[in-house]
């Protein structure tokens, strides 16, 4: 029998569920990735994710050829509308089934349903598997068989359920001989960015290693630091987190490898590994929130929060533009926005700070921020991004209470005390003394002069006053309490 593995966000050879099942079941296995025009066509022409995927496919193609032991055993790469192209290719290759991994984003589910029906009409099947998470969908539920809506009990149930079965790797390498040679006409390799209609984004300058090997290198580097993760992770100037989110997003790192390693180190007593494992469980948590509650795409998890009146009109547009461009006058917020704009990454503490600032200082709809992050983040993931934004706006599943409002200055003093992060991204403020850096509008004239800072010229005045904004927010959220 023969099968076709459709790679999507699982761009690796090792421990890949759909690839493993196809190789075990079929004597001839083809592999394909489709640069999906439905996703790509609306994007701006410079997109770091497209470049990341392209480079990762080069590594995947090589990995598949190595595994097959044949020069033409690699990846078929297409640039087409996936929902039409997959059935067409399956038909051309005369396979019995297409194998893919679950993707529970609403648009992906709709696409897969379409493909499944088209394949059925051809007498073929679409077989899908869990791969991106340790537990998904209804696997971790409360005793009354409802989805969890609070993280800590979810995490405890997750930890009670997890064992070697869920964490062990799929031994793909045992079955490499079942990879098929690509037929002539389908051997053209990975297209260039230019052929896909995209421009280079300078990914190499970001020192963001791509592909399976890149993921492995970052993971090994992180394992040297994992024990200190819980102490270091909150300080954006410190190399504390793993920077693996983009690899988990595109599956160039196996989530089972990540969780298995963290679990073993945590069992051996590493507090850092236990905290990092918790972050991976948050990842599963938000995936299952999206799977059970697809209404969170576009609407509040808690419907009462949809009654909130956000700022609108030209003033709101101007505030939003200042936030996007890092011109709010709050240095930590502006440095964080410079980080996402320049690199496509933002430290987790800063994601919380800038999200809270957008919603609770500027009074803007969280969906505006969610959309901006979706466009900019290399690791953009619908479930985690939506979960993060709804956490910050208090409308989400197990979110920050609405009356908890981050103070952007005290967050700055606490998490970037010497201003190393701020100075890196806001060179205009670099010469200010530490104490003045977090709120330059309060600096003494001499301090400003010596640091060559001219408020309103070299650096903006704050666009809102935090204490007044806080009061407005409490009034704005009163509709929720009233409801
Ligand atoms: P590490 O600290 O090393 O964490 C390890 C991994 O755990 C991450 O790579 C990620 O896969 C997962 N993780 C960590 N925190 C979370 C979390 N809160 N929710 C879900 N998974 C988590 N993460 C994304 O992957 N994509 C997003 O689009 C995204 N948007 C966010 C938006 C907001 C407003 C907020 C507050 C958080 C968002 N996060 C998102 C979560 C988190 O900020 C990033 O996962 C993390 O900063 C990535 O860096 P890292 O890989 O170095 O993380």
């Amino acid at each position: 029998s023969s099968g076709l593995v459709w790679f999507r966000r699982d761009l690796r050879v090792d421990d890949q569920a759909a690839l493993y099942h196809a190789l075990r079941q079929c004597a001839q296995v083809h592999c394909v990735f489709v640069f999906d025009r439905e996703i790509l066509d609306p994007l701006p022409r410079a997109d770091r994710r497209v470049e990341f995927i392209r480079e990762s496919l080069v590594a995947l193609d090589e990995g598949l050829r190595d595994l097959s032991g044949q020069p033409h055993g690699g990846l078929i790469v297409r640039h087409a509308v996936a929902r039409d192209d997959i059935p067409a290719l399956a038909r051309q290759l005369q396979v019995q089934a297409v194998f893919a991994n679950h993707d529970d984003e609403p648009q992906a589910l709709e696409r897969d349903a379409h493909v499944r029906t088209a394949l059925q009409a051809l007498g073929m099947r679409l077989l899908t598997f869990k791969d991106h998470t340790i537990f998904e969908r209804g696997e971790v539920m409360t005793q009354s068989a409802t989805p969890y809506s609070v993280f800590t009990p979810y995490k405890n149930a997750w930890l009670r359920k997890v064992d070697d079965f869920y964490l062990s790797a799929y031994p793909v390498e045992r079955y490499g001989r079942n990879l098929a040679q690509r037929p002539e006409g389908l051997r053209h390799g990975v297209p260039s960015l230019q052929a896909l209609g995209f421009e280079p984004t300078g990914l190499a300058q970001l020192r963001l290693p791509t592909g399976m090997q890149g993921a492995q290198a970052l993971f090994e580097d992180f394992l040297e630091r994992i024990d200190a993760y819980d102490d270091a992770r909150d300080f954006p100037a410190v190399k504390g987190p793993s920077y693996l989110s983009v690899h988990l997003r595109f599956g160039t790192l196996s989530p089972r490898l990540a969780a298995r390693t963290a679990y073993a180190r945590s069992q051996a007593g590493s507090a850092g590994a236990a905290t990092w494992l918790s972050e991976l469980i948050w990842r599963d948590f938000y995936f299952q929130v999206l799977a059970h509650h697809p209404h969170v795409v576009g609407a509040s998890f808690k419907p009462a929060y949809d009654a909130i009146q956000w700022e609108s009109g030209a003033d709101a547009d101007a505030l939003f533009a200042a936030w996007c461009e890092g011109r709010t006058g709050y240095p930590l917020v502006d440095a964080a926005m410079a980080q996402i704009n320049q690199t496509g990454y933002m430290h987790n503490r800063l994601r919380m700070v800038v999200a809270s600032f957008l919603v609770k200082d500027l009074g803007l709809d969280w969906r505006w921020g969610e959309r901006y992050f979706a466009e900019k983040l290399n690791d953009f993931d619908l479930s985690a991004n939506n979960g993060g934004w709804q956490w910050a706006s208090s409308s989400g599943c197990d979110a920050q209470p609405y009356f908890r409002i981050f103070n952007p200055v005290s967050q700055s003093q606490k998490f970037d005390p010497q201003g190393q992060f701020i100075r890196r991204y806001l060179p205009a403020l670099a010469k200010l003394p530490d104490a003045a850096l977090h709120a330059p509008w309060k600096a003494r004239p001499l301090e400003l002069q010596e640091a060559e800072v001219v408020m309103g010229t070299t650096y903006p005045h704050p666009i809102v006053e935090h204490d007044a904004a806080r009061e407005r927010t409490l009034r704005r959220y009163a509709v929720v309490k009233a409801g």
Side-chain angles (χ1 to χ4, degrees):
S1 65
S2 63
L4 174 64
V5 180
W6 177 15
F7 284 81
R8 290 109 66 101
R9 44 173 303 175
D10 37 28
L11 307 181
R12 66 183 185 282
V13 172
D14 58 290
D15 188 18
Q16 213 273 31
L19 179 61
Y20 168 79
H21 285 289
L23 289 172
R24 269 206 56 184
Q25 290 179 33
C26 309
Q28 287 284 294
V29 173
H30 298 276
C31 295
V32 65
F33 179 86
V34 184
F35 279 102
D36 193 345
R37 284 188 175 278
E38 284 191 304
I39 299 172
L40 263 51
D41 287 356
L43 295 178
R45 295 298 91 189
D47 190 300
R48 293 187 188 95
R49 282 114 12 140
V50 178
E51 192 165 347
F52 183 92
I53 292 172
R54 204 206 77 85
E55 288 191 12
S56 298
L57 291 181
V58 173
L60 176 62
D61 179 40
E62 268 173 31
L64 288 169
R65 273 187 278 142
D66 284 354
L67 185 64
S68 73
Q70 302 170 26
H72 296 300
L75 188 67
I76 299 168
V77 185
R78 318 270 277 186
H79 182 203
V81 173
R83 63 173 69 220
D84 301 329
D85 195 48
I86 289 294
L89 182 65
R91 184 182 191 173
Q92 182 185 347
L93 295 169
Q94 297 188 327
V95 296
Q96 276 82 53
V98 173
F99 295 73
N101 291 312
H102 291 164
D103 183 340
D104 287 341
E105 293 187 7
Q107 282 181 353
L109 288 171
E110 191 271 322
R111 175 200 60 202
D112 290 356
H114 179 98
V115 169
R116 177 171 279 113
T117 309
L119 287 172
Q120 270 164 0
L122 297 167
M124 300 168 186
R125 289 185 304 158
L126 176 65
L127 302 173
T128 61
F129 306 90
K130 175 180 71 173
D131 184 69
H132 304 316
T133 54
I134 306 305
F135 296 119
E136 62 170 10
R137 300 183 178 175
E139 282 191 296
V140 175
M141 301 283 267
T142 65
Q143 284 192 338
S144 50
T146 54
Y148 279 98
S149 55
V150 182
F151 175 70
T152 303
Y154 172 83
K155 174 182 158 182
N156 293 338
W158 191 108
L159 287 168
R160 276 195 303 277
K161 182 162 176 149
V162 81
D163 62 18
D164 284 353
F165 173 76
Y166 293 108
L167 294 177
S168 52
Y170 289 99
V172 169
E173 57 290 348
R174 279 190 211 154
Y175 303 95
R177 63 182 177 281
N178 290 348
L179 280 166
Q181 296 260 15
R182 283 173 297 175
E184 263 184 71
L186 294 174
R187 292 178 183 170
H188 33 64
V190 184
S192 66
L193 265 188
Q194 205 183 12
L196 293 166
F198 283 83
E199 296 156 15
T201 59
L203 205 57
Q205 279 128 44
L206 293 179
R207 284 176 294 161
L208 174 61
T210 57
M212 298 173 285
Q213 288 84 355
Q216 195 57 35
L218 276 184
F219 189 49
E220 280 165 21
D221 181 57
F222 177 62
L223 290 181
E224 308 271 313
R225 301 178 275 121
I226 191 171
D227 294 335
Y229 176 74
D230 48 341
D231 294 326
R233 69 186 178 128
D234 262 322
F235 300 92
V238 176
K239 195 177 164 194
S242 66
Y243 309 106
L244 282 166
S245 47
V246 63
H247 287 287
L248 287 163
R249 168 68 183 88
F250 294 112
T252 36
L253 182 75
S254 153
R256 283 171 293 282
L257 173 63
R260 185 167 72 241
T261 311
Y263 186 71
R265 299 271 289 249
S266 139
Q267 293 292 93
S270 164
T275 308
W276 197 64
L277 181 63
S278 256
E279 299 307 321
L280 297 176
I281 302 174
W282 268 108
R283 182 173 174 271
D284 276 14
F285 179 71
Y286 282 139
F287 270 113
Q288 64 89 38
V289 170
L290 181 61
H292 290 291
H293 310 283
H295 78 272
V296 296
V297 183
S300 297
F301 174 80
K302 294 186 262 185
Y305 284 70
D306 282 331
I308 292 173
Q309 293 289 313
W310 304 106
E311 299 295 318
S312 59
D315 288 351
D317 292 346
L319 291 174
F320 183 59
W323 179 84
C324 294
E325 292 160 21
R327 294 186 279 104
T328 67
Y330 285 87
L332 190 65
V333 173
D334 294 343
M337 295 310 292
Q339 184 181 38
I340 194 175
N341 289 332
Q342 290 171 29
T343 70
Y345 179 80
M346 193 193 286
H347 188 277
N348 178 59
R349 168 60 46 183
L350 303 178
R351 295 188 203 205
M352 296 195 287
V353 168
V354 305
S356 174
F357 189 82
L358 180 103
V359 177
K360 293 181 176 168
D361 281 78
L362 301 182
L364 300 177
D365 191 330
W366 58 269
R367 281 159 284 230
W368 295 15
E370 184 195 24
R371 202 166 50 234
Y372 191 74
F373 269 30
E375 201 183 293
K376 295 284 169 187
L377 282 176
N378 302 332
D379 63 27
F380 164 59
D381 192 290
L382 180 56
S383 56
N385 194 43
N386 182 274
W389 277 97
Q390 296 223 37
W391 180 86
S393 73
S394 305
S395 59
C397 190
D398 200 6
Q400 163 106 311
Y402 75 89
F403 48 82
R404 278 212 51 207
I405 300 177
F406 282 157
N407 179 319
V409 176
S410 33
Q411 289 285 312
S412 185
Q413 288 159 336
K414 192 163 171 198
F415 296 113
D416 192 26
Q418 279 97 42
Q420 284 158 292
F421 182 81
I422 293 175
R423 287 192 174 86
R424 188 182 314 156
Y425 282 100
L426 300 181
L429 299 182
K431 292 188 195 149
L432 276 178
D434 294 356
L437 195 59
H438 308 285
W441 64 94
K442 289 189 185 158
R444 284 179 284 116
L446 190 63
E447 281 177 328
L448 291 171
Q449 201 183 337
E450 284 179 352
E452 295 161 44
V453 176
V454 183
M455 290 303 293
T457 304
T458 62
Y459 188 68
H461 292 288
I463 52 171
V464 285
E465 205 262 303
H466 176 69
D467 290 337
R470 195 174 179 284
E471 292 308 314
R472 278 198 299 279
T473 290
L474 292 175
R475 285 200 296 279
R476 191 189 307 282
Y477 276 80
V479 290
V480 175
K481 217 167 45 173

Coordinates of all heavy atoms in Angstrom, one line a residue, residues 77-100:
V77 N 7.5 19.6 -2.7 CA 7.1 20.9 -2.2 C 6.3 21.6 -3.3 O 6.6 21.6 -4.4 CB 8.3 21.8 -1.8 CG1 7.8 23.1 -1.2 CG2 9.3 21.1 -0.9
R78 N 5.1 22.1 -2.9 CA 4.2 22.7 -3.8 C 3.9 24.1 -3.3 O 4.0 24.4 -2.2 CB 2.9 21.9 -3.8 CG 3.1 20.4 -3.8 CD 3.1 19.8 -5.1 NE 1.8 19.6 -5.7 CZ 1.6 19.0 -6.8 NH1 2.6 18.6 -7.6 NH2 0.3 18.9 -7.2
H79 N 3.4 24.9 -4.3 CA 2.9 26.3 -4.0 C 1.6 26.4 -4.6 O 1.4 26.6 -5.8 CB 3.9 27.3 -4.6 CG 3.6 28.7 -4.3 ND1 4.0 29.7 -5.0 CD2 2.9 29.2 -3.3 CE1 3.6 30.9 -4.5 NE2 2.9 30.6 -3.5
A80 N 0.5 26.1 -3.8 CA -0.8 26.0 -4.4 C -1.8 26.1 -3.3 O -1.5 26.4 -2.1 CB -0.9 24.5 -4.9
V81 N -3.1 26.0 -3.6 CA -4.2 26.0 -2.6 C -4.2 24.6 -2.0 O -4.6 23.6 -2.7 CB -5.5 26.4 -3.2 CG1 -6.6 26.3 -2.2 CG2 -5.4 27.9 -3.7
A82 N -3.9 24.4 -0.8 CA -3.7 23.1 -0.2 C -4.9 22.2 -0.3 O -4.9 21.0 -0.6 CB -3.2 23.2 1.2
R83 N -6.1 22.8 0.0 CA -7.3 22.0 0.0 C -7.6 21.4 -1.3 O -8.3 20.4 -1.4 CB -8.5 22.9 0.5 CG -8.8 24.1 -0.4 CD -10.1 24.8 0.0 NE -9.9 25.5 1.2 CZ -10.9 25.5 2.2 NH1 -12.0 24.9 2.1 NH2 -10.7 26.2 3.3
D84 N -7.2 22.0 -2.4 CA -7.4 21.4 -3.8 C -6.2 20.5 -4.2 O -6.3 19.5 -4.8 CB -7.6 22.5 -4.8 CG -8.7 23.4 -4.5 OD1 -9.7 22.9 -3.9 OD2 -8.7 24.6 -4.8
D85 N -5.0 21.0 -3.7 CA -3.8 20.4 -4.2 C -3.5 19.0 -3.6 O -3.1 18.1 -4.3 CB -2.6 21.3 -3.9 CG -1.4 20.9 -4.7 OD1 -1.5 20.6 -5.9 OD2 -0.3 20.7 -4.1
I86 N -3.9 18.9 -2.3 CA -3.6 17.6 -1.6 C -4.4 16.4 -2.3 O -3.8 15.4 -2.7 CB -3.9 17.7 -0.1 CG1 -2.8 18.6 0.5 CG2 -3.9 16.3 0.6 CD1 -1.3 18.0 0.5
P87 N -5.7 16.6 -2.5 CA -6.5 15.5 -3.2 C -5.9 15.3 -4.6 O -5.8 14.1 -5.0 CB -7.9 16.0 -3.2 CG -8.0 17.0 -2.1 CD -6.6 17.7 -2.0
A88 N -5.5 16.4 -5.3 CA -5.0 16.2 -6.7 C -3.7 15.4 -6.6 O -3.5 14.4 -7.5 CB -4.8 17.5 -7.3
L89 N -2.8 15.7 -5.7 CA -1.5 15.0 -5.6 C -1.8 13.5 -5.2 O -1.1 12.6 -5.7 CB -0.6 15.7 -4.6 CG 0.8 15.2 -4.5 CD1 1.6 15.3 -5.8 CD2 1.5 15.9 -3.3
A90 N -2.7 13.4 -4.2 CA -2.9 12.0 -3.7 C -3.4 11.1 -4.9 O -3.0 9.9 -5.0 CB -4.0 12.1 -2.6
R91 N -4.2 11.7 -5.8 CA -4.7 11.0 -6.9 C -3.6 10.7 -7.9 O -3.5 9.6 -8.4 CB -5.8 11.9 -7.6 CG -6.5 11.2 -8.7 CD -7.4 12.2 -9.3 NE -8.3 11.6 -10.2 CZ -9.3 12.2 -10.8 NH1 -9.6 13.4 -10.4 NH2 -10.1 11.5 -11.6
Q92 N -2.8 11.7 -8.2 CA -1.6 11.5 -9.1 C -0.7 10.4 -8.6 O -0.2 9.6 -9.4 CB -0.9 12.8 -9.2 CG 0.3 12.8 -10.2 CD 1.1 14.1 -10.2 OE1 0.7 15.1 -9.6 NE2 2.3 14.0 -10.8
L93 N -0.5 10.3 -7.3 CA 0.4 9.4 -6.7 C -0.3 8.0 -6.4 O 0.4 7.0 -6.1 CB 1.0 9.9 -5.4 CG 1.9 11.1 -5.5 CD1 2.2 11.7 -4.1 CD2 3.2 10.8 -6.2
Q94 N -1.6 8.0 -6.6 CA -2.4 6.8 -6.4 C -2.2 6.2 -5.0 O -1.9 5.0 -4.9 CB -2.1 5.8 -7.5 CG -2.5 6.4 -8.8 CD -2.4 5.3 -9.9 OE1 -1.6 4.4 -9.9 NE2 -3.3 5.4 -10.9
V95 N -2.2 7.0 -4.0 CA -2.1 6.5 -2.6 C -3.4 6.1 -2.1 O -4.5 6.5 -2.6 CB -1.4 7.6 -1.7 CG1 0.0 7.9 -2.1 CG2 -2.3 8.8 -1.5
Q96 N -3.4 5.3 -1.0 CA -4.6 4.9 -0.4 C -5.1 5.9 0.7 O -6.3 6.0 1.0 CB -4.5 3.5 0.3 CG -4.7 2.3 -0.6 CD -3.4 2.0 -1.4 OE1 -2.4 1.8 -0.8 NE2 -3.5 2.0 -2.7
A97 N -4.1 6.5 1.3 CA -4.5 7.4 2.4 C -3.5 8.6 2.5 O -2.3 8.5 2.1 CB -4.5 6.7 3.7
V98 N -4.0 9.7 3.0 CA -3.1 10.9 3.4 C -3.0 10.9 4.9 O -4.0 10.7 5.6 CB -3.8 12.2 2.8 CG1 -3.0 13.4 3.3 CG2 -3.8 12.1 1.3
F99 N -1.8 11.1 5.4 CA -1.5 11.1 6.8 C -1.1 12.5 7.2 O -0.3 13.1 6.6 CB -0.4 10.2 7.2 CG -0.7 8.7 6.9 CD1 -0.8 8.2 5.7 CD2 -1.0 7.9 8.0 CE1 -1.1 6.9 5.4 CE2 -1.2 6.5 7.8 CZ -1.3 6.0 6.5
A100 N -1.8 13.1 8.3 CA -1.4 14.4 8.8 C -1.6 14.5 10.3 O -2.2 13.6 10.9 CB -2.3 15.5 8.1

